[in-house]
Amino acid sequence: MLSTPPSHEVPSTATLFHDAEARLDLHLAACAENARHIALDDEQRQGWLRLLATSRFVDRALSRHPWLLGDPLWIPLDHAAMKADLAQRIARVNDEVGLYRALREFRHACQLRLLWQQINQHASAWQVAAGASWLAETVLEQTLGWLEQALSERWGRPQAVGGQVPRLVVLGMGKLGAGELNLSSDIDLIMAYSEGGETTGGRRSLSHQEYFTRLGQALIRALDAVTEDGQVFRVDMRLRPFGDGGPLVGSFASLERYYQQHGREWERYALIKARPVAGDIAAGYELLATLRPFIYRRYIDFGVIDALRDMKQRIQREVRRQGREQDIKLGEGGIREVEFIVQAGQLIHGGRHVRLQTPSLRQAMTALVDERLLPAEQVSTLQDDYAWLRTLEHALQAVDDAQTQRLPDDDATRLRVAVMLNVPDWAAVMQPLAQVRQRVHAAFMALITSPDEAEPEGDDGSNDSPWQALWEGLLDQPEAEALLQAAGYESPTQAWHYIRTLADGRAVRQMQAIGRERLDRLMPSLLEEVVSIQGHDALARYTQALPHDKVLPRVLALVEAVLRRTAYLALLWENPKARHQLILLCAASPWTAERLARYPVLLDELLDPSLLDTGVTPEDLDAELDQTLNRLPLEDEEAQLEALRQFRHAQMLRIAASDLFGLRSLMQVSDALTAVAEVLLRRVLVMARRTLAARHGEPLREDGEPAGFIIVGYGKLGSIELGYDSDLDLVFLHDADPQGTTVGGHRALDNAVFMTRLGQRIIHLLTAMTPSGVLYDVDMRLRPSGNSGLLVSSLTAFEDYQQRQAWLWEQQALVRARAVAGTPTLCERFTQLRHALLSQPRDSELVRQEIVAMREKMLAHHETHGSVKRMKGGLIDIEFMAQYAVLAYGARYPSLVEWTDNVRLLETMATCGILTSEEAQVLHRILIDYRQSVHATALLMDKDVQAQLPTLDEHRATVRHIWQRLLE
């Protein structure tokens, strides 16, 4: 195989073409060596030289398949010819290996033709996008047909009520649905089937759900798998109902029910682009007809603007977080903003103007003019600008056949792109790009800017402010200290020192002009507002009156942390509400101040109106996480991990803010912290299993059904009592056939090995260090046999261990155990097993003796001073009393084993007569006070908080009194 020699010099255009000449001659010689003599006329030779000079992918493709030089790439693209070509190739295929090779070779041939048309300017951006879409549709339909036939002997064919043979419905989403696919894009799909039933005519009958799921999996593998011949398309299924957590394939009824009950605004936006592209096309259009009322409202829907504004703000946050300002799709004035403008018109007016109900952006633009909803001149400019951006996008992707919209940093790639665009140099690319982006962004902002955003919210930055003079160093030290003392600083000298250290520091001196301008505009307002929050109602829960001296260094530390990311300085200047929230949070809690300084991306949360929303449900969390992850490439695990961590930090900030401002009760805080952990655990489990299954296939149960895997939460996670700094006590269980191996992958594993690797993968995803830290610290010591036991156990082995070998303390731990993620049926089996284990008759006296002895041992071996958890009369005493009740009386009172949380256990103990109602109520109050002090310790970063609890001595005496009555 020919290889491209490395080059370390920045080539000129002449050098690019000189190297291309040499490469072309080598490829032609390779053809001759294989008895394939190819003669090129001058026009054809010049065309190939342009391809080889600009696209490294073309050189790689010809190195592997030099005979492609003989393909007539100059012939215009034709959908029917594509279909006929692939049909001939597939007709010669006998197995999946041959299918995979045929698909990839077909893709290479078509991609070269698209590149020829693009680079030699024989086709417009729209024509290239249409050709890329035809390629995807052709591959999807014919691969699906081959798989249906190949799998019919094993599973037969599905049967509908009327005797018809229903097929899988494959909906293309995004640009595939629009028929405007990128040159090197992945494909977004949703798969569905019309009705339930069972297959007939095969060796084994399957339900339609299982058949179409397996067929869909096979279709994805055929396109998505990376073989020695490469990949056909990356397939992204995350736009389906419930995203990665939902079924791969859904019935029409389930999809309709989902969008009626759970459909979100961004899903309306996504479904505009939906179009049947393979399988039962007619049924696909019937499905979309049933969904049309969800997508297009009958009334003029101006509420869409708010939703699009929110969606764009989320994308802008991601752009800032990932440093993607040079992305011509997501950055300001990019491709996405044009699409937002057009799709906003579709969503607002589509219910009344049927012509707007099209997945094609180009057709929608025309309809907006024809229906007199947008001025013809504006749309014409948008069409031209969009086509220019898409042409540049195709050029960026053509260099390496890579899905990228980022402007290149290296001069060699920039020159290749410039040559593709037929301009002399990179400057001739950037100049029109800047003009295009400016026009597009202006049009976009005119659409989404709300009235209260029309004028900048900041003050005029007048130099008349004494705080301006203080920041700029125009006051001498005595004048500055007098100003600070008058403002309420207890140590004005120290405060002046803090300010001058930042203002005169090296980091500020080295800022570029625009950043320094933003800083100088922000700081006077910030300094003034620090002294204005004293006595604010929001500081009532944990902090009464902090001196400015403590608040100022926290705020300045955060400013210093964002000096190199000046977009955040602009954010704080332009948004006084966000600035005010920032100062309040810094004043209320050093924990939040430290988090904001360590992770400046959290400043975006201050803009979110839902920052203090206490009505967020787990479903809302799932939806928000879906939106974040759906914007990331499925194969980019590093970006996915970072996004998970940033999501957790953002949710923790929101919960802490509502806690600090007294908007959530203690129970609601713990519920929210636990819900965040469960959402993330579910997502991590999906990610880990998807990665392993793609390589090794899936394990099965003994009955041949897919094996389940669950994550069981112990400790504070299981009892729904997580704090801000809690780690996660976890146990992993499965129900795979212990003698079986995985099926459907490239390399089978023993089921036990697969499950162990799955557990290891989950721990890695949770604990891997990224720029945003770890997701959670994990403690696995509560699994059977502790650290010496297997990382993952079958449910059967877990039951056997609990019955035969478990110590009493392990049975105590089981009281707070709860399945928090994984296969629903296995979660239910675990719950039933836990009930059965805890309901077994036990010698109550023996239980009492062991629990008392264990507690005495803990008191003797652990430092308890200042900790409401460990001290005598503390949290552990209350927890042990609840666990004693479950183990000693669970057989007599089944209601005791229902709960994992201490609050409801105390209530149930009173109902069962184990405690008096007065005792249960007072223990409940003490439990809340203790846990509140634990939260305060974290938020105030002060270990002495617990020891300073005003009623501590009284609480301890009460707990010990009840302990002695119950256990001693």
Side-chain angles (χ1 to χ4, degrees):
M1 183 187 299
L2 296 170
S3 61
T4 304
S7 174
H8 302 287
E9 296 181 1
V10 177
S12 64
T13 303
T15 304
L16 282 181
F17 278 91
H18 181 270
D19 291 346
E21 286 265 14
R23 302 302 296 167
L24 179 58
D25 290 340
L26 284 171
H27 294 312
L28 287 169
C31 287
E33 289 174 6
N34 290 278
R36 296 193 184 198
H37 296 277
I38 297 174
L40 301 175
D41 62 29
D42 288 344
E43 184 177 354
Q44 294 163 5
R45 185 176 180 85
Q46 287 303 312
W48 277 113
L49 288 176
R50 281 185 64 83
L51 261 67
L52 286 165
T54 54
S55 173
R56 291 183 286 254
F57 163 74
V58 171
D59 192 29
R60 292 194 299 269
L62 292 179
S63 295
R64 188 171 185 85
H65 307 296
W67 54 85
L68 290 173
L69 284 165
D71 281 6
L73 305 186
W74 45 90
I75 296 176
L77 299 163
D78 181 82
H79 195 184
M82 279 185 176
K83 293 178 181 178
D85 183 5
L86 183 57
Q88 285 183 350
R89 294 171 186 259
I90 287 184
R92 299 190 293 267
V93 165
N94 297 316
D95 55 23
E96 283 197 5
V97 173
L99 173 69
Y100 283 25
R101 179 172 295 113
L103 291 173
R104 283 147 184 79
E105 290 179 352
F106 173 72
R107 192 261 181 187
H108 282 315
C110 291
Q111 194 74 351
L112 281 179
R113 179 167 293 194
L114 290 170
L115 287 168
W116 178 287
Q117 302 288 329
Q118 158 79 14
I119 294 173
N120 289 299
Q121 301 180 347
H122 289 184
S124 68
W126 295 109
Q127 291 170 323
V128 172
S133 302
W134 295 340
L135 169 59
E137 292 171 43
T138 301
V139 165
L140 282 165
E141 176 57 40
Q142 297 201 26
T143 305
L144 180 62
W146 189 93
L147 290 169
E148 287 171 332
Q149 181 61 39
L151 298 175
S152 62
E153 183 178 344
R154 189 186 314 171
W155 297 325
R157 296 275 190 157
Q159 294 293 320
V161 174
Q164 305 94 338
V165 179
R167 298 185 69 203
L168 184 69
V169 172
V170 182
L171 298 179
M173 307 294 288
K175 288 187 171 64
L176 172 58
E180 298 158 355
L181 198 62
N182 294 334
L183 189 62
S184 301
S185 180
D186 59 5
I187 53 176
D188 296 290
L189 304 177
I190 291 178
M191 298 181 187
Y193 61 96
S194 57
E195 58 185 288
E198 292 190 348
T199 61
T200 60
R203 295 194 302 269
R204 180 183 173 195
S205 178
L206 298 177
S207 68
H208 283 185
Q209 173 72 51
E210 188 171 3
Y211 169 80
F212 285 117
T213 297
R214 295 190 180 191
L215 180 61
Q217 290 169 336
L219 177 62
I220 292 169
R221 283 197 302 272
L223 274 57
D224 193 88
V226 179
T227 72
E228 62 180 6
D229 297 304
Q231 186 179 41
V232 187
F233 285 103
R234 293 175 296 275
V235 179
D236 194 331
M237 296 294 298
R238 291 175 294 176
L239 292 179
R240 69 185 188 269
F242 298 112
D244 276 339
L248 184 72
V249 182
S251 67
F252 283 13
S254 70
L255 264 67
E256 187 174 0
R257 186 167 55 250
Y258 168 83
Y259 290 115
Q260 287 177 349
Q261 297 177 0
H262 306 289
R264 291 156 288 185
E265 205 67 38
W266 70 265
E267 288 175 302
R268 292 180 61 202
Y269 180 84
L271 283 171
I272 287 178
K273 298 289 190 184
R275 177 174 64 93
V277 293
D280 194 332
I281 302 296
Y285 280 114
E286 290 174 9
L287 171 62
L288 291 177
T290 66
L291 300 180
R292 192 168 292 126
F294 166 71
I295 308 169
Y296 300 104
R297 307 291 162 81
R298 292 182 181 179
Y299 51 86
I300 298 178
D301 188 7
F302 283 106
V304 165
I305 299 295
D306 287 332
L308 289 178
R309 183 184 300 122
D310 177 66
M311 201 181 308
K312 177 60 179 176
Q313 285 174 349
R314 291 178 186 275
I315 292 172
Q316 286 175 329
R317 293 178 198 174
E318 294 301 316
V319 169
R320 284 197 294 267
R321 290 175 182 180
Q322 299 177 29
R324 297 175 69 175
E325 288 83 359
Q326 298 303 306
D327 190 309
I328 65 164
K329 176 181 178 182
L330 300 180
E332 282 191 2
I335 291 168
R336 183 61 57 84
E337 289 190 357
V338 179
E339 294 167 352
F340 274 163
I341 293 169
V342 176
Q343 288 173 269
Q346 290 181 271
L347 288 177
I348 293 169
H349 302 288
R352 293 191 173 189
H353 300 276
V354 178
R355 285 192 60 203
L356 290 172
Q357 296 179 13
T358 172
S360 166
L361 187 84
R362 194 179 191 187
Q363 293 176 12
M365 284 180 166
T366 302
L368 285 169
V369 174
D370 293 345
E371 300 291 347
R372 299 184 179 181
L373 297 171
L374 282 180
E377 183 178 353
Q378 179 187 5
V379 172
S380 177
T381 301
L382 278 178
Q383 284 177 324
D384 291 343
D385 288 343
Y386 185 76
W388 194 92
L389 287 169
R390 291 297 301 274
T391 300
L392 175 57
E393 177 185 43
H394 288 161
L396 295 174
Q397 295 179 351
V399 175
D400 283 303
D401 189 26
Q403 186 185 8
T404 181
Q405 287 87 17
R406 185 177 179 85
L407 296 172
D409 297 323
D410 64 291
D411 291 334
T413 304
R414 288 175 172 180
L415 181 58
R416 293 176 192 273
V417 172
V419 172
M420 266 191 258
L421 296 178
N422 207 27
V423 297
D425 53 32
W426 187 243
V429 176
M430 292 303 290
Q431 182 178 358
L433 174 61
Q435 296 169 350
V436 166
R437 294 179 78 167
Q438 184 177 16
R439 286 193 298 268
V440 169
H441 190 59
F444 175 73
M445 293 305 294
L447 171 71
I448 71 164
T449 299
S450 60
D452 61 333
E453 294 173 330
E455 296 296 330
E457 294 187 63
D459 59 40
D460 59 6
S462 168
N463 286 339
D464 294 339
S465 163
W467 300 102
Q468 183 89 25
L470 173 65
W471 171 250
E472 293 184 356
L474 301 178
L475 304 180
D476 59 27
Q477 186 170 349
E479 291 174 321
E481 290 183 7
L483 172 63
L484 293 165
Q485 187 170 26
Y489 282 90
E490 294 178 0
S491 177
T493 302
Q494 184 67 58
W496 179 81
H497 176 73
Y498 285 143
I499 295 168
R500 296 319 316 159
T501 298
L502 175 64
D504 300 333
R506 182 177 179 183
V508 171
R509 292 199 310 271
Q510 292 182 340
M511 294 180 73
Q512 295 183 359
I514 187 170
R516 183 60 193 263
E517 180 183 339
R518 289 173 174 176
L519 178 68
D520 289 342
R521 197 165 49 182
L522 167 68
M523 286 307 298
S525 300
L526 210 57
L527 293 172
E528 185 173 11
E529 289 180 49
V530 166
V531 302
S532 70
I533 52 89
Q534 192 64 268
H536 196 283
D537 290 344
L539 305 181
R541 170 164 284 181
Y542 293 117
T543 310
Q544 292 301 325
L546 267 185
H548 309 324
D549 308 68
K550 287 187 179 288
V551 180
L552 180 65
R554 298 175 189 174
V555 173
L556 295 183
L558 189 145
V559 171
E560 186 171 13
V562 300
L563 287 179
R564 292 192 176 186
R565 306 180 73 174
T566 59
Y568 289 115
L569 298 176
L571 179 155
L572 291 172
W573 157 249
E574 293 169 359
N575 295 276
K577 292 177 183 177
R579 195 164 64 236
H580 185 65
Q581 293 276 41
L582 167 70
I583 295 172
L584 279 178
L585 287 171
C586 287
S589 162
W591 183 88
T592 56
E594 187 268 340
R595 285 296 176 106
L596 287 164
R598 187 188 301 177
Y599 308 117
V601 293
L602 293 176
L603 290 171
D604 283 312
E605 299 303 318
L606 303 180
L607 293 176
D608 195 333
S610 67
L611 174 67
L612 300 177
D613 184 0
T614 59
V616 178
T617 66
E619 291 75 22
D620 295 329
L621 294 174
D622 266 323
E624 183 175 346
L625 187 54
D626 272 343
Q627 281 192 279
T628 299
L629 295 179
N630 284 349
R631 291 192 292 271
L632 301 174
L634 198 60
E635 68 277 7
D636 192 346
E637 183 177 280
E638 184 178 345
Q640 299 255 342
L641 290 182
E642 183 69 359
L644 292 178
R645 283 148 177 77
Q646 291 179 355
F647 175 82
R648 183 195 177 218
H649 290 320
Q651 299 308 321
M652 296 279 280
L653 178 68
R654 294 178 183 182
I655 296 166
S658 60
D659 185 7
L660 289 163
F661 298 165
L663 301 178
R664 289 184 201 255
S665 68
L666 171 106
M667 303 289 286
Q668 291 170 328
V669 169
S670 288
D671 285 353
L673 291 171
T674 305
V676 170
E678 291 181 23
V679 166
L680 289 167
L681 284 170
R682 288 196 294 270
R683 192 53 52 94
V684 164
L685 174 54
V686 169
M687 288 175 60
R689 188 156 189 167
R690 181 177 61 217
T691 301
L692 283 175
R695 187 177 310 152
H696 303 296
E698 285 281 4
L700 302 178
R701 300 191 316 227
E702 292 185 67
D703 62 2
E705 294 299 313
F709 183 99
I710 62 171
I711 300 175
V712 179
Y714 275 67
K716 292 180 181 178
L717 175 61
S719 61
I720 321 175
E721 297 172 339
L722 280 184
Y724 291 100
D725 295 328
S726 297
D727 58 6
L728 303 183
D729 294 297
L730 304 179
V731 169
F732 301 145
L733 301 175
H734 71 88
D735 62 357
D737 179 357
Q739 306 302 320
T741 59
T742 58
V743 296
H746 299 297
R747 181 183 166 203
L749 291 176
D750 289 342
N751 287 346
V753 174
F754 179 95
M755 292 303 186
T756 298
R757 290 190 183 178
L758 178 55
Q760 292 168 336
R761 188 79 186 147
I762 290 168
I763 293 172
H764 167 73
L765 296 179
L766 290 171
T767 61
M769 180 64 69
T770 77
S772 292
V774 301
L775 196 54
Y776 286 99
D777 289 320
V778 173
D779 191 334
M780 298 294 298
R781 289 175 294 177
L782 291 176
R783 68 185 188 269
S785 300
N787 285 338
S788 63
L790 296 174
L791 183 66
V792 183
S793 298
S794 69
L795 186 66
T796 303
F798 178 83
E799 178 180 8
D800 182 73
Y801 177 85
Q802 290 289 334
Q803 295 279 18
R804 298 172 183 272
Q805 302 179 55
W807 296 85
L808 184 72
W809 67 264
E810 291 177 291
Q811 296 171 2
Q812 281 183 257
L814 190 62
V815 171
R816 297 206 289 175
R818 184 172 58 89
V820 295
T823 312
T825 54
L826 189 55
C827 288
E828 179 58 30
R829 288 174 60 196
F830 170 80
T831 301
Q832 294 171 358
L833 174 60
R834 174 186 171 275
H835 287 184
L837 291 169
L838 294 177
S839 298
Q840 291 178 346
R842 292 179 179 83
D843 184 332
S844 60
E845 177 59 21
L846 184 60
V847 171
R848 184 194 68 78
Q849 290 174 6
E850 289 198 35
I851 286 181
V852 169
M854 189 184 313
R855 183 62 178 129
E856 292 300 326
K857 186 176 181 180
M858 291 175 64
L859 290 169
H861 287 84
H862 293 283
E863 174 61 44
T864 62
H865 176 70
S867 169
V868 298
K869 177 180 178 180
R870 298 185 182 280
M871 66 175 52
K872 186 175 288 190
L875 266 173
I876 288 181
D877 282 357
I878 299 175
E879 293 171 355
F880 272 31
M881 284 189 277
Q883 291 160 16
Y884 162 73
V886 173
L887 296 178
Y889 299 102
R892 189 187 310 175
Y893 302 113
S895 57
L896 281 169
V897 306
E898 293 292 325
W899 311 115
T900 62
D901 64 286
N902 289 302
V903 169
R904 283 181 289 193
L905 278 173
L906 292 174
E907 293 172 355
T908 308
M909 288 167 69
T911 303
C912 297
I914 301 168
L915 293 175
T916 67
S917 59
E918 292 78 9
E919 286 174 330
Q921 289 172 9
V922 73
L923 285 177
H924 182 186
R925 288 196 301 272
I926 294 171
L927 180 70
I928 297 299
D929 283 349
Y930 280 170
R931 287 176 53 200
Q932 194 84 62
S933 72
V934 172
H935 286 189
T937 298
L939 292 175
L940 300 181
M941 300 176 74
D942 183 355
K943 293 182 179 179
D944 294 332
V945 168
Q946 297 176 33
Q948 295 168 359
L949 188 65
T951 54
L952 179 59
D953 291 339
E954 180 184 343
H955 282 354
R956 292 179 64 190
T958 301
V959 172
R960 290 309 295 178
H961 175 74
I962 299 173
W963 171 278
Q964 288 165 357
R965 184 191 73 74
L966 193 65
L967 288 164
E968 295 182 0

